Amino acid sequence: GDSSPKGPFVPTKADYQKVYDAVARRLADETDYDDGSYGPVLVRLAWHASGTYDKETGTGGSNGATMRFAPESDHGANAGLKTARDFLEPIKAQFPWITYSDLWTLGGACAIQELGGPSIPWRPGREDRDVAACTPDGRLPDAAKDQRHIRDIFSRMGFDDREMVALIGAHALGRCHTDRSGFDGPWNFSPTVFTNEFFRLLAEEKWVQKKWNGPTQFTDKTTGTLMMLPTDMALVKDKGFKKHVERYAKDSDAFFKEFSDVFVKLLELGVPFKTDDRIVFKTSDSE
Ligand code: HEM
């Protein structure tokens, strides 16, 4: 028999690295989806799990993983995220000791790193909560709106202008789906590589309103195949936002550094951590 002392399993950094490695492996294996990667939708899951935070009441945020339950799973903003939650189920089965709330945020950190982004130091400590902790609908941003809405939503989470712009730079990744948000298309030609392309295109391309029956969105004049949301365009309409767009368009290092800091902050909003010690995960190609 096993002579080790009985008690709750206390995972080490090496155990979390094993979870990271399993997510990275699954990302590499499951390429028959969208542009070839589940990475972007994993980033979106981590963001929507965290972005419900309200600093006044301390409610919402990644602690709880309440998007497992209706009504939160059915909120319009979360359409399509079942794909990401289901993608992580085999990982949860393999490592049953990790909470969904830790797993979803770790999945987002892993996706950013595996898609070529900055390292996202991450720490565990989230606990899953039940349906009663679901947040009300309307806490996540509405892409049809303008800069006032962006400031309302993101200052409720505790972010300033610079942080808001950096965060939205994640739209270098992935695409919009008509059967999820109603919007359509990718923001750039390499939607599975984390870059500052979102800002470069926003600053340098000419964007015109797309002619179609769907919701108002914008398309690049040069190729007519890329897209920007109304909220993306607000980042160059507003002077306070635009200076950061132009800075990130020119300075990829600054974007990577500032994105990392603010994404770490996003994933930790409202979480009562017991440790200050973050894990810097080893990316799969750095071995
Ligand atoms: C996708 C809106 C901020 C990461 C999308 C989509 C919309 C949207 C409408 C398309 C969903 C679909 O049809 O599949 C917004 C708005 C934001 C915002 C209005 C703020 C004003 C952010 C932030 C992040 C993020 C802060 C992460 C830090 C992503 C990613 C995708 C995405 C990675 C691609 C998902 C995929 O390919 O399936 N966003 N977003 N977004 N968003 Fe945002």
Side-chain angles (χ1 to χ4, degrees):
D2 185 357
S3 63
S4 63
K6 292 283 187 300
F9 174 60
V10 180
T12 64
K13 285 188 179 188
D15 291 308
Y16 289 107
Q17 179 72 53
K18 282 182 194 150
V19 179
Y20 178 103
D21 293 345
V23 176
R25 166 62 64 90
R26 192 160 161 72
L27 282 174
D29 287 347
E30 300 294 318
T31 55
D32 189 16
Y33 170 74
D34 259 15
D35 303 287
S37 176
Y38 280 85
V41 79
L42 286 191
V43 173
R44 189 161 207 245
L45 175 64
W47 138 237
H48 279 208
S50 308
T52 54
Y53 183 63
D54 173 27
K55 68 176 187 206
E56 298 303 328
T57 58
T59 56
S62 64
N63 197 39
T66 48
M67 203 201 296
R68 286 170 296 149
F69 310 115
E72 200 174 329
S73 55
D74 294 335
H75 290 167
N78 291 331
L81 291 178
K82 186 176 188 301
T83 307
R85 297 192 299 272
D86 289 349
F87 177 89
L88 292 172
E89 276 301 329
I91 312 291
K92 172 72 176 165
Q94 194 183 344
F95 304 96
W97 48 265
I98 196 169
T99 62
Y100 280 100
S101 12
D102 274 342
L103 178 59
W104 291 357
T105 51
L106 192 162
C110 175
I112 295 286
Q113 292 193 195
E114 294 297 312
L115 299 177
S119 113
I120 306 294
W122 177 92
R123 54 180 162 155
R126 297 164 192 78
E127 280 172 17
D128 294 339
R129 304 171 72 196
D130 72 19
V131 62
C134 280
T135 45
D137 201 358
R139 288 201 178 180
L140 291 163
D142 175 350
K145 296 205 166 142
D146 65 7
Q147 50 269 40
R148 277 170 310 181
H149 175 71
I150 297 175
R151 286 201 177 88
D152 282 350
I153 293 283
F154 284 86
S155 60
R156 188 209 66 229
M157 298 173 217
F159 293 116
D160 64 21
D161 279 11
R162 183 182 62 86
E163 294 174 312
M164 296 177 201
V165 176
L167 275 175
I168 296 169
H171 284 169
L173 296 176
R175 59 168 58 243
C176 297
H177 306 77
T178 49
D179 58 343
R180 296 180 184 177
S181 61
F183 298 98
D184 187 34
W187 286 268
N188 73 84
F189 293 110
S190 305
T192 62
V193 186
F194 189 92
T195 63
N196 67 339
E197 271 295 277
F198 171 77
F199 296 114
R200 194 191 62 75
L201 288 161
L202 200 48
E204 293 178 11
E205 272 298 329
K206 180 140 179 59
W207 296 91
V208 296
Q209 201 173 316
K210 180 181 167 88
K211 293 191 182 69
W212 74 326
N213 287 328
T216 299
Q217 66 174 67
F218 297 83
T219 192
D220 69 305
K221 219 176 169 187
T222 310
T223 72
T225 57
L226 303 179
M227 74 95 57
M228 290 287 169
L229 299 165
T231 43
D232 299 322
M233 295 306 296
L235 301 182
V236 283
K237 280 203 204 109
D238 183 277
K239 284 203 170 65
F241 286 149
K242 190 178 182 190
K243 65 179 185 203
H244 299 294
V245 170
E246 291 178 334
R247 196 164 55 82
Y248 294 145
K250 290 197 189 80
D251 188 346
S252 165
D253 291 349
F255 170 54
F256 272 46
K257 169 74 177 72
E258 291 172 37
F259 179 83
S260 173
D261 288 347
V262 70
F263 197 64
V264 168
K265 180 171 164 181
L266 173 70
L267 301 189
E268 296 191 348
L269 293 173
V271 184
F273 290 106
K274 293 186 182 74
T275 172
D276 292 334
D277 199 12
R278 294 195 182 89
I279 306 170
V280 176
F281 290 118
K282 241 170 80 169
T283 302
S284 63
D285 66 6
S286 70
E287 301 183 11

